[in-house]
Amino acid sequence: WISGVITTHGSWGVLFISILEEVIAPIPSTLTTMGAGFLLLVSYETLLSVFLPALIFVAVPIGFGMAIGGIFIYGLAYLGEEIIIDRWGKWFGISRESVDRLKDYFQSGYRDEMILLLLRGTPIFPNSLISGVCGLIHYPIRSFFVVSFIGGVLRALPIALLGWWLKEAYIEYAGVFSGLE
C-alpha cells in the first residue's frame, strides 16, 4: 500500500503517509522513508547527484508530515492533560509532579530546542511519544512545529539515501529499523 501511494502520488504521497504514520504508530516510518528513497530516486546514479532530490522530494515532505502529524498528537495531549494524568497516569507511570517537573525543566530555550531536535532527528526514537510529552508539558507550539520539521528532515535524509543505495533490499532493512523503533 505504501509503495503504491508513493509511486502514484510522489512527494505528496510521502507527505500524506508521513502524517498518517505520525498519528497511527504501527505504520513503520523507516519503511516509508526508505521506500520513498528507492521509488522516487531510482534514476540518480551518484550520491552527489541524489542528495538534493532526496532532500526536496523525500526529506522535506517527511519533515512536514512529522510536524503536521505531531501537532495532532500534541493537541490531544495538550487538551487532554487532565484526563491523561489523573485517569490514566497511574497506568503509564505519569504523575502530576513529574509533568510539573518537566514543565519547569523545558521552557523553550535554545538548550531545550536542541534536545527536542536531537530526539526528533533520531531514527529509533518514537515520535508520537515526543509529541505527546510536548503537549502534556504545554511546550510552545511554534517551537514544537519548527523543531519537529527540522528534526524530521534530518531524520529522513540519511534514511532516504539509504533506501536509494539499498535498492530493492530496502524492505528487509526497513524491517530491522522498524523493530528498533
Side-chain angles (χ1 to χ4, degrees):
W1 178 80
I2 291 172
S3 296
V5 170
I6 293 170
T7 302
T8 305
H9 302 288
S11 295
W12 290 107
V14 172
L15 173 69
F16 174 72
I17 293 171
S18 296
I19 293 169
L20 280 182
E21 74 188 16
E22 192 69 21
V23 175
I24 305 170
I27 299 174
S29 63
T30 51
L31 184 62
T32 301
T33 309
M34 283 186 168
F38 168 66
L39 295 167
L40 298 180
L41 306 172
V42 71
S43 64
Y44 297 93
E45 298 290 325
T46 66
L47 183 61
L48 188 60
S49 69
V50 78
F51 186 83
L52 190 58
L55 178 67
I56 294 169
F57 300 122
V58 179
V60 168
I62 287 176
F64 274 122
M66 283 177 60
I68 293 166
I71 290 292
F72 179 76
I73 301 297
Y74 174 100
L76 287 176
Y78 188 97
L79 297 173
E81 176 188 7
E82 298 297 322
I83 295 169
I84 293 169
I85 295 171
D86 297 337
R87 290 191 188 168
W88 299 334
K90 61 184 174 222
W91 302 105
F92 297 109
I94 301 170
S95 67
R96 172 69 54 202
E97 294 77 30
S98 63
V99 171
D100 288 341
R101 276 195 308 272
L102 272 175
K103 282 182 183 180
D104 291 340
Y105 185 77
F106 285 99
Q107 298 298 321
S108 185
Y110 177 76
R111 177 186 53 91
D112 301 334
E113 290 174 351
M114 287 297 110
I115 291 170
L116 183 57
L117 182 67
L118 178 68
L119 292 173
R120 289 298 257 183
T122 304
I124 60 172
F125 206 85
N127 283 313
S128 297
L129 178 63
I130 299 166
S131 300
V133 168
C134 286
L136 273 179
I137 66 172
H138 295 220
Y139 192 80
I141 196 163
R142 179 185 291 160
S143 295
F144 173 78
F145 186 86
V146 170
V147 172
S148 292
F149 167 71
I150 294 169
V153 170
L154 294 176
R155 176 183 182 139
L157 185 59
I159 296 172
L161 291 171
L162 187 61
W164 164 80
W165 183 66
L166 291 172
K167 308 289 186 225
E168 291 90 0
Y170 81 89
I171 294 173
E172 181 179 331
Y173 290 99
V176 172
F177 281 108
S178 294
L180 291 172
E181 186 175 352

